[in-house]
Amino acid sequence: MAYEMAKRDRHFRPGEGLVARYYEDTVKNVGYIAKEGMKQTDIEILNIMNKNIAK
């Protein structure tokens, strides 16, 4: 989506989603999502893998 916006000379503004005023803060936001937001996803992936092993 960001690519398509950039082609039209549009962009996300600070405060929209993960975008912060400074790029360092945006990177921290993405890192937080990758670390904290994916914990449950990791658990569910392991559950699926364990079910496949048990078959």
Side-chain angles (χ1 to χ4, degrees):
M1 181 187 328
Y3 171 74
E4 292 298 325
M5 288 176 67
K7 287 191 327 185
R8 294 171 177 80
D9 198 29
R10 301 191 69 185
H11 59 278
F12 291 105
R13 294 192 171 112
E16 293 180 346
L18 301 175
V19 178
R21 182 173 181 179
Y22 301 105
Y23 78 89
E24 296 94 342
D25 295 329
T26 300
V27 171
K28 286 179 187 175
N29 292 341
V30 172
Y32 177 81
I33 293 297
K35 181 180 176 191
E36 300 299 325
M38 295 301 289
K39 283 183 179 179
Q40 187 62 40
T41 300
D42 290 343
I43 291 168
E44 295 306 324
I45 290 169
L46 290 171
N47 288 337
I48 291 168
M49 291 170 65
N50 285 332
K51 287 178 189 174
N52 288 336
I53 290 172
K55 288 183 179 180

